[in-house]
């Protein structure tokens, strides 16, 4: 049934800029402060208080536009977006619509080995709303009361509005992760979704492949605070829209919320259009008119971006493309990898240990690379023990995990736990002879041509030696004895 239809997805990403002060006043943007302590007459909308634009926020927003191949306009204006909600003390949000800061950009994503360009319609600036704290379970409609923390009100945001160029949840995931990665690389936001620094809104429609004029009215899913939740929400909506098409039903164009517990979406309100907000120019703010020279200075200040770094990792280090993608999505992980290669010049080995062992350990411990106790120097020290046959690759995994947990160097761990590899041939011969004597059937099978039993016998020798026997010597001696 799904083959008859195609999905159309557009994404709006709201990102808090990492400035020290708010967009239109000097209040701190520090996260986690006591409620309602980072406020002033401007962000509380007291009568007579006037906004002043934060230049650093404009700089960060322009850098985001340049990094995503947008045209940064030399004339843009702020506008009042009028709506009433308890978290909006002014009764309007200061935003941009008709003349935003940046327009007509794109990012490139990789999905299933193919590169696709996703258009960016605009990147505009706006001030964040305050934070509603609901008492009770679930969303606002299930709360028995709500309180307002105005600390977040006025924090500078950029809204990145994509074209509806995505056709699957995998493409949406790749797009969101690409945007997040770019913003982290250029240093304009940490994009910590747990702190609300990046929020996703997805617009979904489904249409028949043979009739692009017959499709469902789009629905918008608001306030998705993780890429994983965004994927689950969109999957549900695609199924809902497809079912409606199959049954010949009409869906309302509406804004919906994702219920994490039930893994469903539910209607929040009818979908507003721009005219519903009665946009008009903000009379208290002058236009933003950056010079072309300033814009070029910002362009020249941009660091190596994720896509370029990915391609360099492939060319310079000889890594497979998927390894390079995994390593460069997170700037700090990419930096860590390059530091490991500097400490121990074997790019593929460093990539294998990071992507396989380290990522698993960090995932289980719910740690980030910033918290990792295995420094590049510690990693290099362990690799040298493998290189000089002090430990085997198998023992190294035990050592690596202990390094991760304690931060101790490999030599200390090997000494404390008695993990030095057995390289004495006479000692290995004794173990091999014991295993051959204890396993006459596999030995006979091997001699009759079943070479797969060799792996079993090697495994028994390694088990008997508690993983300490040199694997190369074990294979060599076993072959000699079996002949």
């Amino acid at each position: 049934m799904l083959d008859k239809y195609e999905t159309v997805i557009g994404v709006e990403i709201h990102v808090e800029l990492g400035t020290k002060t708010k967009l239109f006043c000097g209040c701190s943007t520090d996260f986690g402060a006591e409620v309602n302590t980072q406020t002033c007459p401007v962000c509380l909308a007291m009568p007579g208080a006037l906004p002043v634009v934060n230049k650093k926020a404009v700089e960060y927003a322009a850098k985001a536009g340049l990094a995503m191949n947008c045209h940064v306009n030399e004339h843009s204006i702020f506008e009042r977006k009028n709506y009433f909600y308890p978290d909006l003390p002014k009764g309007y949000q200061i935003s941009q619509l008709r003349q935003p800061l940046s327009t007509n950009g794109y990012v490139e994503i990789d999905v299933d080995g193919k590169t696709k360009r996703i258009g960016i319609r605009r990147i505009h600036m706006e001030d964040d709303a305050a934070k509603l704290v609901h008492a009770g379970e679930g969303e606002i409609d299930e709360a028995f009361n709500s309180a307002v923390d105005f600390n977040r009100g006025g924090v500078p945001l950029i809204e990145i509005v994509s074209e509806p160029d995505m056709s699957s949840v995998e493409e949406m995931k790749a797009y969101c992760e690409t945007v997040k990665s770019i913003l982290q690389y250029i240093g304009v936001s940490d994009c910590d979704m747990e702190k609300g620094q990046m929020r996703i809104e997805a617009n979904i429609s489904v249409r028949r492949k043979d009739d692009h004029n017959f499709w469902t009215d789009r629905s918008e899913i608001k306030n998705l605070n993780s890429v994983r939740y965004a994927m689950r929400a969109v999957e549900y909506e695609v199924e809902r829209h497809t079912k409606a098409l199959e049954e010949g039903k009409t869906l309302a164009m509406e804004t919906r919320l994702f219920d994490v517990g039930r893994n469903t979406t539910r209607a929040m309100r009818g979908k507003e259009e721009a005219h519903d907000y009665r946009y008009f120019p903000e009379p208290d703010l002058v236009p933003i008119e950056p010079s072309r020279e300033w814009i070029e200075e910002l362009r020249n200040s941009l660091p190596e971006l994720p896509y370029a770094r990915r391609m360099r990792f492939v060319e310079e280090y000889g890594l497979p493309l998927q390894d390079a993608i995994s390593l460069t999505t997170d700037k700090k992980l990419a930096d860590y990898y390059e530091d490991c290669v500097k400490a121990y010049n074997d790019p593929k080995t460093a990539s294998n240990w990071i992507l396989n062992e380290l990522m698993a350990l960090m995932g289980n411990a719910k740690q980030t690379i910033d918290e990792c106790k295995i420094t590049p120097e510690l990693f290099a020290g362990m690799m040298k023990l493998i290189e000089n046959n002090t430990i085997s690759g198998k023992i190294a995994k035990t050592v690596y995990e202990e390094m991760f947990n304690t931060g101790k160097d490999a030599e200390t761990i090997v000494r404390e736990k008695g993990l030095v590899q057995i390289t004495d041939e006479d000692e290995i011969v004794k173990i091999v002879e014991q295993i051959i004597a204890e396993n006459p059937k596999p030995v006979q099978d091997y001699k009759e041509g079943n070479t797969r039993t060799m792996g079993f016998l090697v495994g028994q020798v390694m088990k008997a030696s508690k993983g300490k026997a040199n694997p190369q010597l074990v294979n060599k001696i076993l072959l000699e004895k079996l002949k």
Side-chain angles (χ1 to χ4, degrees):
M1 180 178 77
L2 292 176
D3 291 341
K4 295 161 53 179
Y5 303 102
E6 61 183 347
T7 304
V8 182
I9 303 171
V11 174
E12 299 167 12
I13 299 178
H14 294 79
V15 178
E16 289 185 359
L17 298 176
T19 57
K20 293 181 179 179
T21 55
K22 295 183 181 181
L23 184 54
F24 299 120
C25 67
C27 291
S28 171
T29 59
D30 286 347
F31 181 82
E34 186 178 349
V35 297
N36 292 318
T37 58
Q38 297 177 169
T39 60
C40 73
V42 173
C43 53
L44 291 176
M46 298 296 183
L50 295 175
V52 178
V53 178
N54 183 334
K55 182 180 178 182
K56 181 60 73 172
V58 177
E59 177 187 320
Y60 281 3
K63 287 178 74 172
L66 293 169
M68 290 182 238
N69 304 292
C70 292
H71 175 73
V72 177
N73 297 307
E74 293 178 50
H75 179 87
S76 63
I77 63 170
F78 283 106
E79 296 170 276
R80 291 187 179 182
K81 179 181 179 181
N82 296 275
Y83 67 95
F84 174 78
Y85 210 61
D87 59 11
L88 202 65
K90 296 188 295 292
Y92 59 86
Q93 181 184 32
I94 300 178
S95 185
Q96 295 183 307
L97 177 69
R98 284 162 288 204
Q99 298 180 61
L101 185 65
S102 299
T103 50
N104 300 325
Y106 66 88
V107 298
E108 292 183 326
I109 63 172
D110 287 291
V111 177
D112 296 330
K114 297 179 181 177
T115 300
K116 182 175 181 178
R117 180 172 290 188
I118 306 298
I120 292 177
R121 184 174 299 171
R122 68 179 186 271
I123 299 178
H124 64 262
M125 302 181 67
E126 58 190 24
D127 57 345
D128 205 351
K131 181 180 179 181
L132 288 174
V133 182
H134 308 303
E137 298 182 2
E139 299 290 344
I140 186 171
D141 56 348
E142 297 175 339
F144 53 80
N145 67 57
S146 297
V148 186
D149 179 5
F150 287 99
N151 284 351
R152 194 178 72 181
V155 169
L157 293 178
I158 53 173
E159 182 174 344
I160 303 162
V161 182
S162 83
E163 298 291 351
D165 290 342
M166 288 155 272
S167 56
S168 68
V169 291
E170 290 77 20
E171 289 183 1
M172 183 191 69
K173 175 178 183 285
Y175 170 77
C176 292
E177 289 179 345
T178 298
V179 168
K180 180 180 180 181
S181 181
I182 289 171
L183 295 172
Q184 289 174 333
Y185 265 69
I186 63 177
V188 302
S189 176
D190 291 334
C191 298
D192 188 332
M193 299 189 78
E194 291 186 2
K195 294 180 179 178
Q197 293 174 352
M198 176 173 161
R199 286 136 26 212
I200 299 169
E201 296 175 1
N203 290 274
I204 305 100
S205 294
V206 175
R207 63 190 180 192
R208 289 190 174 132
K209 289 182 178 178
D210 59 353
D211 185 0
H212 285 189
N213 294 317
F214 189 81
W215 56 351
T216 56
D217 273 329
R218 65 188 169 95
S219 55
E220 180 181 36
I221 311 170
K222 285 277 192 184
N223 298 327
L224 297 162
N225 61 3
S226 84
V227 176
R228 183 165 56 91
Y229 288 165
M231 293 176 69
R232 286 166 53 187
V234 170
E235 284 173 345
Y236 176 83
E237 277 299 290
V238 169
E239 185 178 331
R240 188 176 74 89
H241 281 240
T242 302
K243 184 179 179 182
L245 281 177
E246 281 289 300
E247 296 175 354
K249 294 181 179 178
T250 301
L251 293 177
M253 187 164 72
E254 60 189 4
T255 297
R256 299 178 70 85
L257 292 174
F258 179 57
D259 188 316
V260 176
R262 298 183 179 94
N263 204 40
T264 60
T265 66
R266 66 176 186 273
M268 180 182 178
R269 59 175 180 264
K271 180 78 179 81
E272 300 98 336
E273 296 295 342
H275 62 264
D276 295 323
Y277 292 113
R278 306 189 325 277
Y279 280 92
F280 64 84
E282 168 56 72
D284 294 330
L285 290 168
V286 298
I288 300 173
E289 295 182 329
S291 68
R292 186 48 49 189
E293 292 76 19
W294 185 73
I295 293 170
E296 289 308 310
E297 284 179 17
L298 290 183
R299 191 192 307 276
N300 293 333
S301 73
L302 293 177
E304 182 182 38
L305 296 175
Y307 191 84
R309 198 173 197 182
R310 178 186 312 166
M311 293 300 102
R312 178 170 66 80
F313 276 22
V314 171
E315 294 173 12
E316 184 176 335
Y317 298 131
L319 297 180
L321 178 60
Q322 191 54 54
D323 284 16
I325 292 172
S326 299
L327 288 168
T328 56
T329 298
D330 183 332
K331 181 181 183 298
K332 292 179 180 178
L333 184 65
D335 292 343
Y336 177 83
Y337 167 74
E338 293 214 83
D339 288 341
C340 285
V341 173
K342 288 176 185 174
Y344 185 80
N345 190 18
D346 188 335
K348 188 64 177 92
T349 296
S351 172
N352 289 343
W353 277 95
I354 291 171
L355 295 179
N356 297 323
E357 305 302 323
L358 183 58
M359 297 301 285
L361 290 169
M362 288 198 304
N364 291 334
K366 296 183 179 179
Q367 285 187 10
T368 65
I369 195 65
D370 287 335
E371 302 167 294
C372 180
K373 295 176 182 175
I374 303 177
T375 65
E377 292 71 28
L378 288 179
F379 169 75
M382 187 189 76
M383 297 312 299
K384 288 169 185 174
L385 293 184
I386 299 174
E387 196 175 276
N388 63 25
N389 289 322
T390 300
I391 59 174
S392 65
K394 185 174 182 180
I395 291 174
K397 292 184 179 181
T398 301
V399 173
Y400 195 73
E401 184 172 358
E402 187 68 13
M403 288 166 61
F404 179 85
N405 291 329
T406 67
K408 293 180 180 179
D409 65 87
E411 283 191 14
T412 299
I413 294 167
V414 168
R415 185 174 61 253
E416 288 178 350
K417 293 186 174 291
L419 297 174
V420 176
Q421 184 170 237
I422 300 171
T423 56
D424 185 316
E425 290 199 30
D426 291 339
E427 190 173 347
I428 294 175
V429 165
K430 290 177 184 177
I431 300 172
V432 168
E433 289 175 343
Q434 176 190 336
I435 295 303
I436 289 174
E438 292 174 353
N439 295 275
K441 181 68 168 60
V443 170
Q444 186 61 35
D445 289 346
Y446 178 83
K447 291 180 177 179
E448 290 175 358
N450 185 3
T451 55
R452 286 182 297 180
T453 59
M454 181 67 174
F456 169 78
L457 293 169
V458 169
Q460 293 302 301
V461 174
M462 296 306 294
K463 183 178 179 181
S465 69
K466 297 181 180 178
K468 297 180 185 179
N470 180 288
Q472 290 76 26
L473 283 176
V474 170
N475 276 275
K476 171 178 168 290
I477 293 169
L478 251 177
L479 283 170
E480 289 173 355
K481 293 294 181 182
L482 291 172
K483 287 178 181 178

